[in-house]
Amino acid sequence: MPSVEHGEVRMGRRQRRAHKPGERAEPAIERVGDVWSIRSLEAARQVLRARHATTQAGFTAEHIPQGLMKHHPILMSDGALHDEQRSKVGRFFAPRVVRERHGDRIASAAARYVDSLAGEVTLDEVALLYSVEVTSEIVGLTESSVQGRAGRLVQFFRQPPLDMTRKDLGRSRRQWMQAAWRGLVPVLRFYLADVRPAIRQRRRAPTGDVISHLLAEGYTDVDILVECVTYGTAGMVTTREFITMAAWHLLTTPELMARYLAAERPERHAILNEIIRLEPVVGHLYRRAQEDIVVTDGDREFTIAPVTSSTSASGRSTPTRTPWARNLRPCARGARCPRGSTLR
């Protein structure tokens, strides 16, 4: 049972709720074939900071055909291009901008969905509708119903399993055919029902949303579709997952719930930041080493070398969730928690 000591909520061991079957917490750095698994927080930081030496290998980035799009998708880009894209689009999602421009609408939507709850409900369904409605306003996907858009977004995830460490993603020919059918059909529906009407409206009357910005930057319809898929999956659906996970922790930990309800906004944010640290929506990051990367863990040193053989399964360094992120450790009550800090 959790206890309250010196103004801190201390949780029992292994409070993480989401566990991938077969996931190991040790060793901190491990190589199996050409795949490195980085489970040390410090070593993972070293890999991620070596931006010049790695490229995106997650989100099936290496399997997306080149030349189909005029602009490289932000989720797949690296280096200076990624920085430029983030600086241009990031302003739409900056906390101050969201609070000042969309805060009232967000609060109104939250109150409306909460007031609509009655009896037994499926929380992730309600959280999805809320996330889709809020994010769509920022992106500019406002020319279709929230309910329909949410249903089309969910279709993207009905895919055969994959293994990012294998060259063929571990899929059979039949699974690749299923992936193509289950991927292209929902994307086409999403484009026709949600993206194309929004593009047409923004061409007639631009507004201060992401789609209007992309049109001003010269993005084609295909480019905008890819970015909207990114925001739809990485923004809306993942927000649904975080809301559900946060509610799971709060509703099953009375002391944490009581503290959250009594707290002011900064402390509430600290608690939520701690939950997402413990339960990251994206649990694994995949990077392909293009140059030697030297990482250290304690007094041990490792060199991650790029794979030169074209027949290798992969050449990825794989930072994974840190093994000690098992317990919630919110800040002491009343303490100032710096943004981005690890709460202890």
Side-chain angles (χ1 to χ4, degrees):
M1 291 291 291
S3 61
V4 180
E5 299 178 6
H6 306 295
E8 294 189 4
V9 178
R10 296 191 180 279
M11 311 298 291
R13 290 183 57 80
R14 297 185 179 275
Q15 291 301 297
R16 178 184 287 160
R17 306 294 170 79
H19 296 278
K20 182 179 180 180
E23 184 75 26
R24 296 194 299 169
E26 297 177 341
I29 300 178
E30 179 183 30
R31 178 178 179 178
V32 178
D34 293 322
V35 178
W36 290 80
S37 294
I38 312 298
R39 305 182 181 96
S40 157
L41 175 60
E42 184 54 39
R45 282 174 170 167
Q46 294 170 38
V47 172
L48 294 176
R49 286 169 178 166
R51 302 180 61 202
H52 63 285
T54 67
T55 53
Q56 174 68 277
F59 306 106
T60 67
E62 297 177 320
H63 296 265
I64 295 177
Q66 301 296 312
L68 294 180
M69 293 163 283
K70 181 180 177 181
H71 293 80
H72 204 58
I74 188 171
L75 194 62
M76 315 301 177
S77 59
D78 289 288
L81 174 60
H82 183 72
D83 291 342
E84 180 184 0
Q85 292 173 316
R86 282 194 62 182
S87 66
K88 290 181 177 180
V89 178
R91 59 189 173 92
F92 294 98
F93 300 94
R96 182 181 60 81
V97 173
V98 172
R99 183 172 59 253
E100 294 178 357
R101 187 178 299 175
H102 306 284
D104 291 343
R105 187 179 294 114
I106 291 173
S108 174
R112 177 163 28 88
Y113 282 108
V114 170
D115 290 343
S116 69
L117 301 180
E120 186 173 316
V121 298
T122 304
L123 179 59
D124 66 321
E125 293 179 358
V126 180
L128 177 63
L129 294 175
Y130 168 74
S131 302
V132 168
E133 179 173 339
V134 169
T135 308
S136 294
E137 291 287 339
I138 301 174
V139 175
L141 293 171
T142 58
E143 307 307 311
S144 54
S145 73
V146 171
Q147 188 86 35
R149 196 178 317 124
R152 286 183 286 274
L153 287 169
V154 169
Q155 295 292 324
F156 294 158
F157 290 88
R158 294 177 180 172
Q159 289 285 327
L162 54 81
D163 182 350
M164 292 296 300
T165 65
R166 294 179 55 177
K167 188 175 182 179
D168 61 355
L169 300 184
R171 285 176 172 172
S172 64
R173 179 176 298 181
R174 179 178 180 180
Q175 287 176 321
W176 275 112
M177 292 176 64
Q178 289 177 335
W181 175 258
R182 295 178 184 177
L184 294 176
V185 171
V187 166
L188 179 60
R189 290 173 177 166
F190 182 55
Y191 173 71
L192 294 175
D194 304 290
V195 179
R196 186 170 67 173
I199 291 174
R200 289 176 172 175
Q201 177 61 27
R202 268 64 187 176
R203 283 200 173 109
R204 289 192 295 265
T207 60
D209 52 38
V210 174
I211 291 179
S212 298
H213 161 74
L214 296 177
L215 287 170
E217 290 286 313
Y219 277 58
T220 66
D221 284 17
V222 174
D223 294 334
I224 295 174
L225 169 62
V226 172
E227 298 296 348
C228 286
V229 169
T230 297
Y231 295 120
T233 54
M236 303 176 194
V237 177
T238 54
T239 301
R240 179 269 305 266
E241 294 183 9
F242 171 60
I243 291 173
T244 304
M245 184 60 72
W248 189 3
H249 277 278
L250 292 169
L251 292 173
T252 56
T253 313
E255 290 86 348
L256 190 64
M257 172 67 90
R259 177 171 173 179
Y260 183 83
L261 293 176
E264 298 296 328
R265 177 175 292 183
E267 188 176 355
R268 288 189 176 191
H269 286 179
I271 292 172
L272 295 176
N273 286 337
E274 174 66 4
I275 292 175
I276 201 170
R277 181 195 69 84
L278 187 72
E279 308 278 7
V281 177
V282 178
H284 296 75
L285 302 178
Y286 294 86
R287 304 293 297 179
R288 179 175 290 277
Q290 303 293 349
E291 303 175 15
D292 285 357
I293 307 170
V294 178
V295 297
T296 58
D297 181 57
D299 58 355
R300 297 181 301 166
E301 183 175 287
F302 304 83
T303 299
I304 301 174
V307 176
T308 56
S309 171
S310 60
T311 59
S312 63
S314 76
R316 300 179 178 89
S317 59
T318 313
T320 65
R321 289 180 289 196
T322 56
W324 54 80
R326 298 169 183 164
N327 304 318
L328 282 174
R329 301 189 300 263
C331 291
R333 188 181 305 278
R336 181 179 180 183
C337 302
R339 183 169 54 187
S341 63
T342 299
L343 309 182
R344 297 187 182 276

